[in-house]
Amino acid sequence: MVRMAYFAFFQTHLPFGILLWGHCGNQLPIFRIQKAAVRVISGANFRAHCKPLFISNGIFTLSSLFILECLMYTKANLQKFNIHSDTHSYQTRHRNDIDLTYLRLSKSMNGVNFYGPKFYNKLPTHIRNLEITKFKNKIRNFLISKAYYQISEFLDDGIVNNF
């Protein structure tokens, strides 16, 4: 019952505009509230570690939700991005990766056009080639099973290449 209330009143509001605010500095208080809500759902102590609680309840962390939305945006808009094979014809390992454009300002590096391709390039080729609904399901299941607290955890995780 409490879990249903969480999804009805809290989780439904998180994805709204997350591509715009999901990596801002002010998202930490929202994440703290989310962790407190997950502790209440699970009946855990107020100091309990939340990562296993997110996984057992099948709830996205705020960072995982941002990663999912960035990946879905990138997959749906692949034609807007340049791929390495568009600029050269060499048979390199990363010829199917999205070309990360140079962004002069650090404020520009917080958006979906920076993180989307970065996350997408991290995925194995067999996941990238899936049609969009299978792609979304695979990514959703993976992100729920990992419960990343920070975006850097996803980028540094070597397991991403093995799912």
Coordinates of all heavy atoms in Angstrom, one line a residue, residues 42-100:
S42 N 10.1 0.2 3.0 CA 10.6 -1.1 3.4 C 10.5 -1.3 4.9 O 10.8 -2.4 5.4 CB 12.1 -1.1 3.0 OG 12.2 -1.0 1.6
G43 N 10.2 -0.3 5.7 CA 10.1 -0.4 7.1 C 11.5 -0.5 7.7 O 11.7 -1.1 8.8
A44 N 12.5 0.1 7.1 CA 13.9 0.0 7.5 C 14.2 1.1 8.5 O 13.5 2.1 8.6 CB 14.8 0.1 6.3
N45 N 15.3 1.0 9.2 CA 15.8 2.0 10.1 C 16.1 3.2 9.3 O 16.5 3.2 8.1 CB 17.1 1.4 10.8 CG 17.6 2.3 11.8 OD1 17.2 3.5 12.0 ND2 18.7 1.8 12.5
F46 N 16.1 4.4 9.9 CA 16.3 5.7 9.2 C 17.8 5.8 8.8 O 18.1 6.7 8.0 CB 15.9 6.9 10.1 CG 16.8 7.2 11.2 CD1 17.7 8.2 11.1 CD2 16.7 6.5 12.4 CE1 18.6 8.5 12.2 CE2 17.5 6.8 13.5 CZ 18.4 7.8 13.4
R47 N 18.7 5.0 9.3 CA 20.1 5.0 8.9 C 20.5 3.8 8.0 O 21.6 3.7 7.7 CB 20.9 5.1 10.1 CG 20.7 6.3 10.9 CD 21.7 6.5 12.0 NE 23.1 6.4 11.4 CZ 24.1 7.0 11.9 NH1 24.0 7.6 13.0 NH2 25.3 6.9 11.3
A48 N 19.5 3.0 7.6 CA 19.8 1.9 6.8 C 20.3 2.2 5.4 O 19.9 3.3 4.8 CB 18.5 1.0 6.6
H49 N 21.2 1.4 4.9 CA 21.7 1.6 3.5 C 20.6 1.4 2.5 O 19.9 0.4 2.6 CB 22.9 0.7 3.3 CG 23.6 0.9 2.0 ND1 24.1 2.1 1.6 CD2 23.8 0.0 1.0 CE1 24.6 2.0 0.4 NE2 24.5 0.7 0.0
C50 N 20.4 2.3 1.6 CA 19.2 2.2 0.7 C 19.4 1.5 -0.6 O 18.4 1.1 -1.2 CB 18.8 3.7 0.4 SG 18.0 4.5 1.7
K51 N 20.6 1.3 -1.0 CA 20.8 0.6 -2.3 C 20.1 -0.7 -2.4 O 19.4 -1.0 -3.4 CB 22.3 0.5 -2.7 CG 22.5 0.1 -4.1 CD 24.0 0.2 -4.5 CE 24.3 1.6 -4.8 NZ 25.5 1.7 -5.7
P52 N 20.2 -1.6 -1.4 CA 19.5 -2.9 -1.5 C 18.0 -2.7 -1.4 O 17.2 -3.5 -2.0 CB 20.0 -3.7 -0.3 CG 21.0 -2.9 0.4 CD 21.1 -1.6 -0.3
L53 N 17.5 -1.6 -0.8 CA 16.1 -1.3 -0.7 C 15.5 -0.9 -2.0 O 14.4 -1.3 -2.4 CB 15.8 -0.3 0.4 CG 16.3 -0.6 1.8 CD1 16.1 0.6 2.7 CD2 15.7 -1.9 2.3
F54 N 16.3 -0.1 -2.7 CA 15.9 0.3 -4.1 C 15.8 -0.9 -5.0 O 14.8 -1.1 -5.7 CB 16.9 1.3 -4.7 CG 16.7 2.7 -4.3 CD1 17.7 3.3 -3.5 CD2 15.7 3.5 -4.7 CE1 17.5 4.7 -3.1 CE2 15.5 4.8 -4.4 CZ 16.4 5.4 -3.5
I55 N 16.7 -1.8 -4.9 CA 16.7 -3.0 -5.8 C 15.6 -3.9 -5.4 O 14.9 -4.4 -6.3 CB 18.1 -3.7 -5.6 CG1 19.2 -2.8 -6.2 CG2 18.1 -5.1 -6.3 CD1 20.6 -3.3 -5.9
S56 N 15.4 -4.2 -4.1 CA 14.3 -5.1 -3.7 C 12.9 -4.6 -4.0 O 12.0 -5.4 -4.3 CB 14.5 -5.5 -2.2 OG 14.3 -4.4 -1.4
N57 N 12.8 -3.3 -4.0 CA 11.5 -2.7 -4.3 C 11.2 -2.4 -5.7 O 10.2 -2.0 -6.1 CB 11.2 -1.4 -3.4 CG 11.0 -1.8 -2.0 OD1 10.1 -2.5 -1.6 ND2 11.8 -1.2 -1.1
G58 N 12.3 -2.5 -6.5 CA 12.2 -2.3 -8.0 C 11.9 -0.8 -8.3 O 11.2 -0.4 -9.1
I59 N 12.7 0.1 -7.5 CA 12.5 1.5 -7.7 C 13.8 2.1 -8.2 O 14.9 1.8 -7.8 CB 12.2 2.2 -6.3 CG1 10.8 1.6 -5.8 CG2 12.1 3.7 -6.4 CD1 10.5 2.1 -4.4
F60 N 13.6 3.0 -9.2 CA 14.7 3.7 -9.8 C 15.3 4.7 -8.8 O 14.5 5.5 -8.2 CB 14.4 4.5 -11.0 CG 14.2 3.7 -12.3 CD1 12.9 3.4 -12.8 CD2 15.3 3.1 -12.9 CE1 12.7 2.7 -13.9 CE2 15.1 2.4 -14.0 CZ 13.8 2.2 -14.5
T61 N 16.6 4.8 -8.7 CA 17.2 6.0 -8.0 C 17.1 7.2 -9.0 O 16.8 7.0 -10.2 CB 18.7 5.7 -7.7 OG1 19.4 5.5 -8.9 CG2 18.9 4.6 -6.8
L62 N 17.3 8.3 -8.5 CA 17.2 9.6 -9.3 C 18.2 9.5 -10.4 O 17.9 9.9 -11.6 CB 17.4 10.8 -8.4 CG 17.0 12.1 -9.0 CD1 15.6 12.2 -9.5 CD2 17.3 13.2 -8.0
S63 N 19.4 9.1 -10.1 CA 20.5 9.0 -11.1 C 20.1 8.0 -12.2 O 20.3 8.2 -13.4 CB 21.8 8.7 -10.5 OG 22.2 9.8 -9.7
S64 N 19.6 6.8 -11.8 CA 19.3 5.8 -12.7 C 18.1 6.3 -13.6 O 18.1 5.9 -14.8 CB 18.8 4.5 -12.0 OG 19.9 4.0 -11.3
L65 N 17.2 7.0 -13.1 CA 16.1 7.6 -13.9 C 16.6 8.6 -14.9 O 16.2 8.6 -16.1 CB 15.1 8.2 -13.0 CG 13.8 8.6 -13.6 CD1 13.1 7.4 -14.2 CD2 12.9 9.3 -12.6
F66 N 17.6 9.4 -14.5 CA 18.2 10.3 -15.5 C 18.9 9.6 -16.6 O 18.8 9.9 -17.7 CB 19.2 11.3 -14.7 CG 19.9 12.2 -15.6 CD1 19.3 13.3 -16.2 CD2 21.3 12.1 -15.8 CE1 20.0 14.1 -17.1 CE2 22.0 13.0 -16.6 CZ 21.3 14.0 -17.2
I67 N 19.7 8.5 -16.2 CA 20.4 7.7 -17.2 C 19.4 7.1 -18.2 O 19.6 7.1 -19.4 CB 21.3 6.6 -16.5 CG1 22.4 7.3 -15.7 CG2 21.8 5.7 -17.5 CD1 23.1 6.4 -14.8
L68 N 18.3 6.5 -17.7 CA 17.3 5.9 -18.5 C 16.7 6.9 -19.5 O 16.6 6.7 -20.7 CB 16.2 5.3 -17.7 CG 15.0 4.8 -18.5 CD1 15.4 3.5 -19.3 CD2 13.8 4.5 -17.6
E69 N 16.4 8.1 -19.0 CA 15.8 9.1 -19.9 C 16.7 9.6 -20.9 O 16.4 9.9 -22.1 CB 15.2 10.3 -19.1 CG 14.0 9.9 -18.2 CD 12.8 9.4 -19.0 OE1 12.6 9.9 -20.1 OE2 12.1 8.5 -18.5
C70 N 18.0 9.8 -20.5 CA 19.0 10.2 -21.5 C 19.2 9.1 -22.6 O 19.3 9.5 -23.8 CB 20.4 10.4 -20.8 SG 20.5 12.0 -19.9
L71 N 19.3 7.9 -22.2 CA 19.4 6.8 -23.2 C 18.2 6.7 -24.1 O 18.4 6.5 -25.3 CB 19.7 5.5 -22.4 CG 21.1 5.3 -21.8 CD1 21.1 4.1 -21.0 CD2 22.1 5.2 -22.9
M72 N 17.0 6.9 -23.6 CA 15.9 6.8 -24.4 C 15.8 8.0 -25.4 O 15.4 7.8 -26.5 CB 14.6 6.7 -23.5 CG 14.4 5.5 -22.7 SD 14.7 4.0 -23.7 CE 13.4 4.1 -24.9
Y73 N 16.2 9.1 -24.9 CA 16.2 10.3 -25.8 C 17.3 10.1 -26.9 O 17.0 10.3 -28.1 CB 16.6 11.6 -25.0 CG 16.8 12.8 -25.9 CD1 15.7 13.5 -26.3 CD2 18.1 13.1 -26.3 CE1 15.9 14.6 -27.2 CE2 18.3 14.2 -27.1 CZ 17.2 15.0 -27.5 OH 17.4 16.1 -28.4
T74 N 18.4 9.6 -26.6 CA 19.5 9.3 -27.6 C 19.0 8.3 -28.6 O 19.2 8.4 -29.8 CB 20.8 8.9 -26.9 OG1 21.1 9.9 -25.9 CG2 21.9 8.8 -27.9
K75 N 18.5 7.2 -28.1 CA 18.0 6.1 -29.0 C 16.9 6.6 -29.9 O 16.9 6.3 -31.1 CB 17.5 4.9 -28.1 CG 16.9 3.8 -28.9 CD 18.0 3.0 -29.6 CE 17.4 1.7 -30.2 NZ 18.4 1.0 -31.0
A76 N 16.0 7.4 -29.4 CA 14.9 7.9 -30.3 C 15.4 9.0 -31.3 O 14.7 9.2 -32.3 CB 13.8 8.5 -29.4
N77 N 16.5 9.6 -31.0 CA 17.0 10.7 -31.8 C 18.4 10.4 -32.4 O 19.2 11.4 -32.5 CB 17.0 12.0 -31.0 CG 15.6 12.4 -30.6 OD1 14.8 12.7 -31.4 ND2 15.4 12.4 -29.3
L78 N 18.7 9.2 -32.7 CA 20.0 8.9 -33.2 C 20.4 9.7 -34.5 O 21.6 10.0 -34.7 CB 20.1 7.4 -33.5 CG 20.4 6.5 -32.4 CD1 20.3 5.0 -32.8 CD2 21.8 6.8 -31.7
Q79 N 19.4 10.0 -35.3 CA 19.7 10.8 -36.5 C 20.2 12.2 -36.2 O 20.9 12.8 -37.1 CB 18.5 10.8 -37.4 CG 17.4 11.7 -36.9 CD 16.5 11.0 -35.9 OE1 16.7 9.9 -35.4 NE2 15.5 11.8 -35.4
K80 N 20.1 12.7 -35.0 CA 20.5 14.0 -34.7 C 22.0 14.0 -34.3 O 22.6 15.1 -34.2 CB 19.7 14.6 -33.5 CG 18.3 14.9 -33.8 CD 17.6 15.5 -32.7 CE 16.2 15.8 -33.0 NZ 15.5 16.5 -31.9
F81 N 22.6 12.9 -34.1 CA 24.0 12.8 -33.6 C 24.9 12.3 -34.7 O 24.4 11.5 -35.6 CB 24.1 11.8 -32.4 CG 23.3 12.3 -31.2 CD1 22.1 11.7 -30.9 CD2 23.8 13.3 -30.4 CE1 21.3 12.1 -29.8 CE2 23.0 13.7 -29.3 CZ 21.8 13.1 -29.0
N82 N 26.1 12.7 -34.7 CA 27.1 12.2 -35.7 C 27.8 11.0 -35.1 O 28.1 10.9 -33.9 CB 28.2 13.3 -35.9 CG 27.7 14.5 -36.6 OD1 26.7 14.4 -37.4 ND2 28.2 15.6 -36.3
I83 N 28.0 10.0 -36.0 CA 28.6 8.8 -35.7 C 30.0 8.8 -36.3 O 30.2 9.4 -37.3 CB 27.8 7.6 -36.1 CG1 26.4 7.6 -35.4 CG2 28.5 6.2 -35.9 CD1 25.5 6.5 -35.7
H84 N 31.0 8.1 -35.6 CA 32.4 8.1 -36.1 C 32.5 7.7 -37.5 O 33.3 8.2 -38.3 CB 33.3 7.3 -35.2 CG 33.5 7.8 -33.8 ND1 34.1 9.0 -33.6 CD2 33.3 7.3 -32.6 CE1 34.2 9.3 -32.3 NE2 33.7 8.2 -31.7
S85 N 31.7 6.7 -37.9 CA 31.8 6.2 -39.3 C 31.3 7.2 -40.3 O 31.5 7.1 -41.5 CB 31.0 4.9 -39.4 OG 29.6 5.1 -39.2
D86 N 30.6 8.3 -39.9 CA 30.2 9.4 -40.8 C 31.4 10.2 -41.2 O 31.3 10.9 -42.2 CB 29.1 10.3 -40.1 CG 27.8 9.5 -39.9 OD1 27.6 8.5 -40.5 OD2 27.0 10.0 -39.0
T87 N 32.4 10.3 -40.3 CA 33.5 11.2 -40.6 C 34.7 10.5 -41.2 O 35.6 11.1 -41.8 CB 34.0 11.9 -39.3 OG1 34.3 10.9 -38.3 CG2 32.9 12.8 -38.8
H88 N 34.8 9.1 -41.0 CA 35.9 8.4 -41.7 C 35.4 7.0 -42.0 O 34.4 6.5 -41.5 CB 37.1 8.3 -40.7 CG 36.9 7.6 -39.5 ND1 36.8 6.2 -39.4 CD2 36.7 8.0 -38.2 CE1 36.6 5.8 -38.1 NE2 36.5 6.9 -37.4
S89 N 36.2 6.3 -42.9 CA 35.8 5.0 -43.4 C 36.7 3.9 -42.8 O 36.6 2.8 -43.3 CB 35.8 5.0 -44.9 OG 37.1 5.3 -45.3
Y90 N 37.5 4.2 -41.8 CA 38.3 3.2 -41.2 C 37.5 2.2 -40.3 O 36.6 2.6 -39.7 CB 39.4 3.9 -40.3 CG 40.2 4.9 -41.1 CD1 40.2 6.2 -40.8 CD2 41.1 4.5 -42.1 CE1 40.9 7.2 -41.5 CE2 41.9 5.4 -42.8 CZ 41.8 6.7 -42.5 OH 42.5 7.6 -43.2
Q91 N 38.0 1.0 -40.3 CA 37.3 0.0 -39.5 C 37.9 -0.1 -38.1 O 38.7 -1.0 -37.8 CB 37.5 -1.4 -40.2 CG 36.9 -1.5 -41.6 CD 35.3 -1.4 -41.5 OE1 34.7 -2.0 -40.6 NE2 34.8 -0.7 -42.4
T92 N 37.5 0.9 -37.3 CA 38.0 1.0 -35.9 C 37.0 0.3 -35.0 O 35.9 0.1 -35.4 CB 38.2 2.4 -35.5 OG1 37.0 3.1 -35.6 CG2 39.3 3.1 -36.4
R93 N 37.4 0.1 -33.8 CA 36.5 -0.5 -32.8 C 35.4 0.4 -32.4 O 34.3 -0.1 -32.1 CB 37.3 -0.7 -31.5 CG 38.2 -1.9 -31.5 CD 38.9 -2.0 -30.1 NE 39.8 -0.9 -30.0 CZ 40.6 -0.6 -29.0 NH1 40.6 -1.4 -28.0 NH2 41.4 0.4 -29.0
H94 N 35.5 1.7 -32.5 CA 34.5 2.6 -32.1 C 33.8 3.3 -33.2 O 33.3 4.4 -33.0 CB 35.1 3.6 -31.1 CG 35.7 3.0 -29.9 ND1 35.0 2.4 -28.9 CD2 37.0 2.8 -29.5 CE1 35.8 1.9 -28.0 NE2 37.0 2.2 -28.3
R95 N 33.8 2.7 -34.4 CA 33.2 3.3 -35.6 C 31.7 3.5 -35.4 O 31.2 4.4 -36.1 CB 33.6 2.5 -36.8 CG 32.9 1.2 -36.9 CD 33.3 0.4 -38.2 NE 32.9 -1.0 -38.1 CZ 33.7 -1.9 -37.5 NH1 34.8 -1.6 -37.0 NH2 33.2 -3.1 -37.5
N96 N 31.1 2.7 -34.6 CA 29.6 2.9 -34.4 C 29.2 3.7 -33.2 O 28.1 3.9 -32.9 CB 29.0 1.5 -34.3 CG 29.1 0.7 -35.6 OD1 29.0 1.3 -36.6 ND2 29.3 -0.6 -35.4
D97 N 30.2 4.3 -32.5 CA 30.0 5.2 -31.4 C 29.5 6.6 -31.9 O 29.9 7.0 -33.0 CB 31.2 5.3 -30.5 CG 31.5 4.1 -29.7 OD1 30.7 3.2 -29.7 OD2 32.5 4.1 -29.0
I98 N 28.8 7.2 -31.0 CA 28.4 8.6 -31.3 C 29.6 9.5 -31.1 O 30.3 9.4 -30.0 CB 27.2 9.0 -30.5 CG1 26.0 8.1 -30.8 CG2 26.9 10.5 -30.6 CD1 24.8 8.4 -29.9
D99 N 29.8 10.4 -32.0 CA 30.9 11.4 -31.8 C 30.5 12.4 -30.7 O 29.5 13.1 -30.8 CB 31.1 12.1 -33.2 CG 32.4 12.9 -33.2 OD1 33.3 12.6 -32.4 OD2 32.5 13.8 -34.1
L100 N 31.3 12.5 -29.7 CA 31.1 13.4 -28.6 C 31.6 14.8 -29.1 O 32.8 15.0 -29.3 CB 31.8 13.0 -27.3 CG 31.4 11.6 -26.8 CD1 32.3 11.3 -25.6 CD2 30.0 11.6 -26.4

